[in-house]
Amino acid sequence: MKAQLEIIKRWLTPSGPKSARSLFKSAGLPFPTIPEPLAAKLEHRDKWLFSTRKIEVPPYFLQQYAEEFESGQVTDYVILSHDGHGINSYAIQYYLVQQGLGLFLHLKWGGIYTNNEKAVADISAAFDVADRIVAWIESMRDDLKHPVQIVASDFYGCYWMIGGEKQDEWDAWENTPLKALNAILESLQSKK
């Protein structure tokens, strides 16, 4: 009986990508461009949590996901969630790991003291630049010899690495993920 109820629940619940888009739209949030092969596998795992992989560590713990990517022991996946703690430490997490790219965005939204209107504009701009980075990486895939990792967080700071070597780093208090993402894109494009 329990298995039958689960099947019915899945049948009545919109699919992962559709459910995620609907949730983000209803909250007034932009939606990132998720590469099609991963978007097709996106599952609604929990409230505000969508993923193509099993989740053992909450996405809020950004550094664990970044370290996992650095280890090289991870397959392609996407995670899209909203998570946090306290009264103001809430963020949208968009983690994309695909063919040698680890993109980890941890963008503030939803805290009691957060200007959510400004945060939505910042998230939208960050997603736009992230899309351009992903497109650049895709266009250069045959020329890339080492994995590219990008971590951009309003709370933990930003950095990026190629082949495990740090290229640049920004303090969370002085810079925004958007500034860091723009600088990373500019640097990547100059390497052409």
Side-chain angles (χ1 to χ4, degrees):
M1 180 72 166
K2 187 176 179 180
Q4 291 170 330
L5 288 174
E6 190 60 36
I7 291 168
I8 292 169
K9 182 180 171 187
R10 254 192 220 146
W11 182 72
L12 292 174
T13 304
S15 67
K18 192 177 211 176
S19 179
R21 281 185 190 281
S22 176
L23 178 62
F24 271 60
K25 184 178 180 179
S26 71
L29 287 163
F31 197 78
T33 302
I34 299 173
E36 187 53 43
L38 292 171
K41 298 176 186 174
L42 194 65
E43 292 183 25
H44 192 173
R45 306 264 179 185
D46 203 350
K47 182 179 180 184
W48 278 100
L49 176 58
F50 302 86
S51 176
T52 60
R53 66 177 277 179
K54 185 176 179 183
I55 302 294
E56 295 174 3
V57 175
Y60 193 84
F61 297 104
L62 165 70
Q63 202 54 41
Q64 289 189 273
Y65 287 90
E67 289 171 6
E68 177 187 56
F69 178 79
E70 291 167 30
S71 77
Q73 303 297 313
V74 64
T75 58
D76 293 358
Y77 70 85
V78 66
I79 294 174
L80 184 59
S81 71
H82 177 246
D83 197 3
H85 62 85
I87 59 173
N88 208 47
S89 296
Y90 285 85
I92 296 295
Q93 293 91 29
Y94 173 53
Y95 302 161
L96 172 64
V97 171
Q98 184 181 34
Q99 299 174 352
L101 170 66
L103 176 68
F104 303 93
L105 304 184
H106 192 272
L107 310 169
K108 70 180 170 185
W109 180 80
I112 195 167
Y113 299 116
T114 300
N115 177 339
N116 284 333
E117 190 173 298
K118 180 181 179 330
V120 165
D122 291 345
I123 291 167
S124 181
F127 283 171
D128 287 343
V129 177
D131 287 348
R132 292 175 32 217
I133 290 171
V134 171
W136 186 90
I137 294 286
E138 183 61 35
S139 74
M140 299 300 293
R141 181 110 26 235
D142 293 338
D143 298 327
L144 291 177
K145 296 179 177 116
H146 303 286
V148 175
Q149 180 181 22
I150 299 168
V151 174
S153 170
D154 283 304
F155 301 117
Y156 302 117
C158 308
Y159 64 90
W160 74 293
M161 300 192 304
I162 296 177
E165 286 188 36
K166 200 166 275 184
Q167 304 297 303
D168 211 342
E169 185 171 12
W170 298 267
D171 184 274
W173 302 109
E174 297 174 10
N175 290 284
T176 66
L178 181 57
K179 286 180 186 176
L181 290 168
N182 276 315
I184 292 165
L185 179 60
E186 186 177 314
S187 183
L188 285 168
Q189 290 172 334
S190 72
K191 294 180 185 300
K192 231 177 184 181

